Amino acid sequence: MFQVLVAEDEVWIRDAIAEMIDRLAPQFNVVGEVGSGEEAWNFIQEHWPSIVVTDIMMPHRNGLWLSEQIHRMSLPIVTMIVSGYDNFQYAKQAMRYGITEYLLKPLEEEELHDALKRSVQKLEGMAELHEGVHKIQHFIDRLPDMDRQTLNAEVQALLAYIYRLKSGAPGARKSQLALLSAKWNEMFRAVDQEHTFLPFTEEDEQGVRKYFADLADAWLLRYPQFANQSVKASIKKVCDYINVHYFENFSLTRLADMSHLSVSYFSTLFKKTTGQTCLNYINGVRIQKAKELLHEPDLKIYEIADMVGYTSLPYFNRMFKQIVAVTPIEYRKRLGL
Amino acid sequence: MKIWTILQRQSIKTKMVLAFLSVSILSVLLSGVFSNLYYSRAAEKEFFNVSSEAINRLNYHLDYYYNQLQQSTLSLIQNDVVQDWLRSESDANADIQNVEKELRRYLALNYSEIQGMFLISKSHKAVSMSQSFAKPSLISGEPWIKLPLSPVIRIIPTHTAGYEGADGRQVISVLLPIFDKESLDLIGTLMIDISLHELDQSFKSSQLGGSATLFILADDDRIVYHPNEAWNGLPKQQTGLATLQIPDHEMASLQRFQGTDYLIASARSQVTGWRTVSLVRFDEMAVGISSARFSVILALGVITLLIVMIVPLLSNRFVNPILRLMSLMRQVGKGDLSVQTKSVPGQDELQQLFYSFNQMVQRLDELVASNTSLQFKEMQAELRQKQALIKALQNQINPHLLYNTLGIIKSIAYLEKVPAIERMARNLADVYRYTAYFSEMEVFLKDELEQLRKYLEIVHIRFPKHFQSQFFINEKFLQCRVVKLILQPIVENAVKYAIEQRGGEGVVIVSAYQDKEDLIIEVADNGPGIDETELHRIEGLLRQISAKLDQDYGDHDSLGIPNVHARLVLKYGGEYGVKITTFAGRGTVVSLRIPLYPEQYRTTG
């Protein structure tokens, strides 16, 4: 199963794209829908989808910026562009970012399906790297909880895993190591503002191991000083806010700002504190509220979707089905209403 | 005035012939008149010369005759016998007989024409050649017997002698004075009667042409001599010459007399004081004139004939080049500027004219060509401007907004599962995008038809039940290159006038076939047809565009039939473009003619 992120500022078009992709379930599954490049990037950093379907013209970082980010970090992600502009300049730039699927709006279901099917082989080739990325993410998420012994063991295991990667390209291994370095440094910096980013330049395995050993030492030395209760309280405060204001329009950036944390640290802390990602937490709250509202027979489904903060009915339906396993209509039927 | 206008309407050839003829005939006539006049003058002068010479000669002759007569009588007058008798006037028989003898002797020695001789004394006693002649009873009636003596010679004009022996002949009496040879007193008169015979002789020797008449008039207008003897001695008034005016001067004068023109001349004798008159019929005198006149008329006839024959030939020679030029001009007038004519260099005005004509046509051709190319360029510029305007208009509608909106509509339709809306939005977006990238580039007929299908699908959705559209296009034409966006405007037009008008109940058929080297694409509908005035207007517009003359074609329809036609003409040339055939109440066929490139035909065929 390949997880797909849809980045498109037009809600209806985004919903239609998501719907089209979901019709190819279970092979493809939409895990996220975002309306800007920045949100998309935040989502990727946390959820690591296999495929990103993005529009070009979007507020807060456009699709080309997003594509560039993915390409620059050599992330194991297949990017597809959906654009209303069959402008050759965009197509050329997209090609430079290694994008082979450039689809025109209005998007035909068939075209998108064909493009997704075409990318399967590429995705299968990336599967190992993708797993690696997930492992790195998992390691980063658990960093705050690890003691010296665990940390050293985990680092050794992760590096060993990366060095075992079969994907031949030496660039692939290097990109994984670079990603690990970048994410760890970022986390470090989120905790300790005085932390100076240690540039990752090592070439040989010996040097790499030493680099990460040094980074682990520095982390163990500095982190306990910042791991205090106030941080956890601020996460709790955000959760309380979401519980009350679930119908509002949230973005990760906005929530991180509320707790005076960086987005990545906030997500890590959020996940550590609540056991799920921030986005999933929001959806959980909203769907729970929706379930309650579905007991009110006078309320129409789309009214409920709107009341709990979903801008479009299809998105709501999909999310509801993902969490509750049935559609809102079926749910209501089961209630006997 | 009427004749003048009629003349003005004639061809230049006729005018020339008429002008030549009239000038030539006028000149011939004038020369005839002048020659006639001068011939008459000359004839008069000649007649005067001849007649005056004859008359003078005659006068001189007569005068001389009188003088001779006087001289010859001198011996007789001075004869003693005669002198004595005159002095004595004796009646003695012997004396008289002596005198008679002397007279007879004289007569015998001298003139035969002397009719009678008388010696007349102071007391009017008369003695003749014989006694019988001088009988007083017989001579008393003579005009001279009572006349007193006169010291000068006197002549009595013609009268009839009444005495014996004269036999009533007409005579002229000459009275000669006789003087005493001693005392020198006037003692008597010698009277000699001369018969007209002598004059007759003289006159007969002085003939002036066949019918010329010479006669003598005395002072008192009594006729002395006339060939008509009956008139002799009679006053002029009593004869047939009564109405004739005798001129005093010697110049000949022309007079109409008894219904005929006569030339008259006269001269006065010094001795007798008589006038000798010559009278000649003018026409007789002017035989030369009439022959001259005849020759003039003949010459005139010949000249006229020549003119009639030659002038048309001559005028043809001048007029033919003009006629040729005229027909060439007519060709030029019809717009054929390739006309050139042979022109031989030279000073001939016609050659110059032909040369100038060639120059003019050539220059005109150049001007028209440059003007046409200018207009063509202008039209192209206009078309480009028009395209720029269309583009500007297209850009006014924010394409992002349009496509995005259509994308949203389509997405909603997809999510709500309304495929009609989805298709419509999709087709509309495609049609707009195709139109938005409107350019002069050529596309495959396939693409053009694909686009048309999308457009027609929208129409089908609009009129779901009755509207039909069909394509009959052989696959081999699909790879033909055609100017972009030529079919949709035509079909849009058909939909607007044929389908919409009837609430969608109608058919649009698009078909293609090959006509020699061209591809014909037809868009047919079964609508009401285009009405005649509108059809005329559109066809006129198309013709103007084909002729590259209409500069405002773009003002009529932004992307209608004229625009498509203009683009086809601009791209492929004047023989290509749009043609409309309409059948009232049954439908319209709009056909597009474009060149079928053989190489493309091969690659797909």
Side-chain angles (χ1 to χ4, degrees):
Chain A
M1 187 183 82
F2 301 108
Q3 294 185 323
V4 184
L5 168 68
V6 179
E8 158 71 66
D9 56 335
E10 288 294 343
V11 177
W12 289 100
I13 295 173
R14 185 170 73 212
D15 283 339
I17 293 170
E19 180 71 26
M20 285 172 194
I21 295 165
D22 272 352
R23 283 187 194 175
L24 278 185
Q27 200 180 4
F28 297 92
N29 191 24
V30 177
V31 290
E33 295 180 37
V34 293
S36 77
E38 192 182 66
E39 277 183 78
W41 186 235
N42 289 336
F43 185 91
I44 290 167
Q45 298 271 335
E46 203 174 352
H47 300 270
W48 302 104
S50 304
I51 301 169
V52 173
V53 177
T54 179
D55 183 20
I56 287 185
M57 301 304 281
M58 285 187 294
H60 310 293
R61 305 294 188 180
N62 65 24
L64 285 174
W65 173 85
L66 183 63
S67 307
E68 192 189 354
Q69 297 303 112
I70 293 168
H71 177 69
R72 199 166 49 80
M73 295 192 71
S74 302
L75 300 182
I77 292 171
V78 170
T79 312
M80 291 183 189
I81 284 182
V82 177
S83 172
Y85 286 78
D86 48 353
N87 187 311
F88 184 63
Q89 287 304 320
Y90 287 147
K92 220 164 69 178
Q93 233 173 317
M95 273 167 67
R96 213 180 297 140
Y97 302 145
I99 292 164
T100 49
E101 298 297 344
Y102 192 94
L103 304 174
L104 279 183
K105 281 194 209 168
L107 191 59
E108 287 292 311
E109 185 181 39
E110 213 174 305
E111 287 175 42
L112 182 59
H113 286 180
D114 287 348
L116 288 169
K117 282 168 192 163
R118 274 198 295 275
S119 63
V120 166
Q121 205 187 351
K122 208 169 167 186
L123 288 166
E124 278 166 354
M126 286 177 177
E128 205 180 23
L129 293 174
H130 204 255
E131 203 194 319
V133 170
H134 273 286
K135 277 193 191 295
I136 291 165
Q137 186 62 46
H138 187 64
F139 169 77
I140 298 293
D141 285 344
R142 285 183 296 119
L143 263 180
D145 296 334
M146 284 191 274
D147 55 17
R148 180 172 290 271
Q149 204 180 349
T150 325
L151 182 61
N152 283 337
E154 287 280 336
V155 169
Q156 290 306 319
L158 193 56
L159 289 177
Y161 172 81
I162 290 170
Y163 274 100
R164 272 206 312 277
L165 285 175
K166 286 187 198 90
S167 309
R173 185 180 295 145
K174 200 186 167 194
S175 74
Q176 297 261 312
L177 294 170
L179 182 67
L180 177 61
S181 154
K183 295 225 74 152
W184 199 343
N185 272 297
E186 199 182 347
M187 178 70 115
F188 208 152
R189 206 171 150 64
V191 175
D192 176 14
Q193 263 127 48
E194 281 162 29
H195 169 72
T196 44
F197 194 94
L198 294 173
F200 176 73
T201 51
E202 314 306 321
E203 292 292 331
D204 58 330
E205 199 179 331
Q206 212 54 42
V208 169
R209 287 187 189 279
K210 184 168 186 311
Y211 170 81
F212 282 108
D214 290 348
L215 192 59
D217 284 344
W219 170 261
L220 288 168
L221 189 68
R222 300 290 293 167
Y223 179 70
Q225 300 174 26
F226 296 97
N228 51 38
Q229 211 51 38
S230 71
V231 172
K232 282 179 184 160
S234 69
I235 297 295
K236 184 82 182 62
K237 226 163 77 188
V238 168
C239 287
D240 290 342
Y241 186 84
I242 291 170
N243 290 341
V244 179
H245 300 93
Y246 54 89
F247 47 83
E248 281 183 15
N249 195 11
F250 296 110
S251 77
L252 206 56
T253 315
R254 183 184 157 206
L255 294 172
D257 283 350
M258 280 171 67
S259 51
H260 308 290
L261 292 168
S262 78
V263 174
S264 55
Y265 188 38
F266 171 77
S267 337
T268 307
L269 283 183
F270 196 93
K271 217 185 264 177
K272 183 182 167 250
T273 312
T274 62
Q276 55 190 326
T277 66
C278 182
L279 203 64
N280 289 346
Y281 181 83
I282 295 166
N283 282 329
V285 173
R286 284 175 172 176
I287 297 303
Q288 188 52 45
K289 285 286 164 194
K291 275 158 88 176
E292 287 166 22
L293 289 168
L294 279 167
H295 286 82
E296 306 284 331
D298 295 338
L299 287 173
K300 304 232 162 38
I301 306 277
Y302 68 87
E303 285 173 334
I304 294 166
D306 188 56
M307 284 166 79
V308 298
Y310 287 108
T311 44
S312 81
L313 183 60
Y315 188 29
F316 166 68
N317 283 338
R318 214 165 39 251
M319 279 300 147
F320 195 91
K321 200 180 172 194
Q322 245 176 44
I323 292 163
V324 190
V326 292
T327 63
I329 298 167
E330 285 167 339
Y331 183 80
R332 189 174 254 183
K333 271 185 189 158
R334 286 184 191 178
L335 289 174
L337 293 168
Chain B
M1 209 58 205
K2 226 173 189 177
I3 292 165
W4 185 242
T5 43
I6 288 167
L7 266 180
Q8 270 187 329
R9 281 197 202 129
Q10 300 305 312
S11 71
I12 193 160
K13 194 168 153 179
T14 316
K15 282 180 193 165
M16 262 176 92
V17 170
L18 282 174
F20 271 128
L21 273 178
S22 50
V23 167
S24 322
I25 289 172
L26 193 71
S27 64
V28 167
L29 277 174
L30 270 176
S31 75
V33 166
F34 279 121
S35 68
N36 192 34
L37 203 63
Y38 283 111
Y39 266 114
S40 302
R41 287 264 173 84
E44 265 174 57
K45 202 157 186 183
E46 192 193 310
F47 166 74
F48 167 72
N49 287 339
V50 169
S51 65
S52 73
E53 198 251 355
I55 295 161
N56 282 325
R57 198 174 65 237
L58 194 58
N59 270 344
Y60 176 75
H61 187 76
L62 290 173
D63 289 355
Y64 182 75
Y65 178 76
Y66 297 140
N67 286 330
Q68 279 299 106
L69 194 65
Q70 199 176 3
Q71 291 291 319
S72 68
T73 56
L74 277 176
S75 59
L76 179 65
I77 287 166
Q78 286 171 6
N79 190 290
D80 290 338
V81 177
V82 174
Q83 290 265 325
D84 287 345
W85 183 79
L86 284 173
R87 254 177 252 134
S88 64
E89 295 179 86
S90 131
D91 291 326
N93 219 12
D95 292 339
I96 291 168
Q97 276 177 353
N98 283 338
V99 173
E100 282 176 349
K101 211 159 73 192
E102 286 299 321
L103 287 176
R104 272 201 302 275
R105 189 162 10 120
Y106 170 78
L107 195 63
L109 287 172
N110 287 285
Y111 309 95
S112 59
E113 67 270 23
I114 292 175
Q115 189 62 49
M117 285 179 80
F118 292 86
L119 268 177
I120 302 153
S121 67
K122 284 181 282 191
S123 56
H124 299 289
K125 281 188 181 166
V127 175
S128 188
M129 286 93 74
S130 78
Q131 285 288 327
S132 57
F133 288 172
K135 279 180 195 160
S137 59
L138 287 172
I139 59 169
S140 60
E142 297 302 318
W144 39 267
I145 196 72
K146 293 288 189 279
L147 283 177
L149 297 182
S150 165
V152 292
I153 189 169
R154 282 172 299 177
I155 295 167
I156 298 169
T158 308
H159 57 91
T160 310
Y163 48 87
E164 200 183 325
D167 301 335
R169 283 193 182 122
Q170 291 185 319
V171 292
I172 297 165
S173 304
V174 180
L175 299 168
L176 300 163
I178 301 170
F179 299 93
D180 190 326
K181 47 183 194 187
E182 278 137 33
S183 65
L184 293 178
D185 291 332
L186 192 63
I187 51 174
T189 306
L190 176 67
M191 198 289 298
I192 302 168
D193 271 350
I194 300 162
S195 111
L196 281 173
H197 179 71
E198 167 64 16
L199 283 172
D200 221 18
Q201 289 298 316
S202 302
F203 274 69
K204 272 176 188 147
S205 67
S206 307
Q207 271 308 324
L208 284 164
S211 71
T213 312
L214 279 172
F215 62 93
I216 299 170
L217 278 177
D219 302 350
D220 55 357
D221 272 357
R222 193 178 287 272
I223 291 170
V224 177
Y225 170 82
H226 195 277
N228 185 356
E229 287 179 15
W231 293 350
N232 287 349
L234 294 174
K236 186 174 128 247
Q237 299 304 322
Q238 291 175 17
T239 68
L241 302 174
T243 56
L244 197 64
Q245 299 285 319
I246 310 300
D248 270 336
H249 49 87
E250 293 191 352
M251 291 298 291
S253 74
L254 190 64
Q255 248 181 63
R256 197 157 183 83
F257 170 62
Q258 290 179 344
T260 322
D261 284 330
Y262 284 92
L263 277 167
I264 302 169
S266 75
R268 197 172 284 271
S269 164
Q270 307 236 308
V271 178
T272 57
W274 300 344
R275 285 178 296 176
T276 309
V277 180
S278 71
L279 188 66
V280 181
R281 279 167 66 147
F282 180 80
D283 51 2
E284 212 163 288
M285 229 16 240
V287 174
I289 297 172
S290 61
S291 69
R293 193 177 291 150
F294 175 73
S295 67
V296 164
I297 289 168
L298 193 72
L300 192 122
V302 170
I303 289 168
T304 308
L305 204 68
L306 281 177
I307 287 168
V308 169
M309 273 160 46
I310 290 168
V311 162
L313 287 175
L314 216 68
S315 61
N316 268 359
R317 179 125 179 72
F318 287 113
V319 170
N320 277 350
I322 294 172
L323 288 178
R324 201 162 93 235
L325 201 62
M326 196 169 78
S327 79
L328 291 176
M329 279 296 214
R330 223 170 259 153
Q331 267 176 277
V332 172
K334 279 178 194 154
D336 180 4
L337 291 177
S338 61
V339 186
Q340 285 284 295
T341 179
K342 254 194 286 174
S343 119
V344 188
Q347 285 302 307
D348 185 330
E349 281 80 356
L350 281 173
Q351 289 166 355
Q352 301 259 328
L353 191 64
F354 273 70
Y355 176 71
S356 308
F357 171 80
N358 281 347
Q359 292 277 92
M360 181 192 78
V361 172
Q362 231 172 312
R363 185 88 189 96
L364 209 58
D365 197 20
E366 282 165 22
L367 277 176
V368 167
S370 67
N371 201 23
T372 310
S373 78
L374 267 180
Q375 275 181 337
F376 190 60
K377 276 179 196 157
E378 215 169 297
M379 194 168 134
Q380 276 181 316
E382 197 122 344
L383 193 65
R384 274 196 288 275
Q385 230 170 351
K386 194 87 204 168
Q387 284 164 7
L389 183 71
I390 290 170
K391 203 145 227 169
L393 286 171
Q394 284 162 349
N395 291 343
Q396 266 182 12
I397 309 166
N398 183 345
H400 180 74
L401 174 68
L402 180 70
Y403 300 134
N404 216 33
T405 308
L406 286 169
I408 291 164
I409 293 169
K410 185 186 169 294
S411 299
I412 295 170
Y414 176 82
L415 292 166
E416 298 292 331
K417 298 187 177 61
V418 191
I421 295 172
E422 211 188 323
R423 267 205 330 273
M424 207 158 176
R426 169 89 211 200
N427 287 331
L428 190 61
D430 283 347
V431 167
Y432 264 94
R433 190 178 288 112
Y434 191 76
T435 315
Y437 296 98
F438 171 66
S439 70
E440 275 318 295
M441 66 176 188
E442 285 183 309
V443 296
F444 290 119
L445 181 58
K446 188 183 65 180
D447 299 336
E448 191 70 4
L449 290 172
E450 184 59 39
Q451 202 50 41
L452 200 55
R453 278 203 181 86
K454 284 176 178 167
Y455 168 74
L456 282 170
E457 207 179 330
I458 297 172
V459 183
H460 273 290
I461 293 167
R462 278 177 72 193
F463 306 111
K465 280 194 180 139
H466 304 296
F467 176 65
Q468 292 176 56
S469 66
Q470 285 167 312
F471 285 30
F472 294 108
I473 289 164
N474 194 313
E475 264 190 32
K476 66 186 178 183
F477 297 133
L478 292 181
Q479 297 300 316
C480 289
R481 303 286 282 175
V482 300
V483 170
K484 193 177 172 181
L485 214 63
I486 53 170
L487 286 178
Q488 194 192 312
I490 307 289
V491 173
E492 264 188 73
N493 214 59
V495 167
K496 188 172 171 189
Y497 293 106
I499 308 301
E500 283 179 11
Q501 303 278 323
R502 299 169 49 174
E505 200 165 333
V507 185
V508 170
I509 297 171
V510 182
S511 55
Y513 61 88
Q514 187 176 351
D515 179 31
K516 286 168 199 149
E517 294 294 300
D518 299 338
L519 175 67
I520 313 289
I521 307 171
E522 285 188 344
V523 176
D525 65 62
N526 62 344
I530 303 170
D531 80 61
E532 217 164 297
T533 29
E534 179 66 5
L535 183 69
H536 279 307
R537 189 187 71 83
I538 298 171
E539 282 180 337
L541 208 58
L542 299 187
R543 266 199 303 280
Q544 276 177 302
I545 292 167
S546 292
K548 295 163 188 160
L549 288 175
D550 186 27
Q551 299 174 355
D552 334 305
Y553 78 94
D555 294 344
H556 304 290
D557 301 288
S558 59
L559 267 176
I561 289 174
N563 180 284
V564 172
H565 181 69
R567 285 189 292 130
L568 290 178
V569 167
L570 275 174
K571 180 79 184 180
Y572 303 121
E575 61 267 41
Y576 298 99
V578 180
K579 210 184 110 222
I580 304 171
T581 318
T582 190
F583 307 96
R586 290 190 289 139
T588 304
V589 178
V590 177
S591 46
L592 311 179
R593 179 179 286 270
I594 54 175
L596 181 71
Y597 295 136
E599 66 273 15
Q600 276 155 358
Y601 181 55
R602 266 203 303 279
T603 53
T604 54

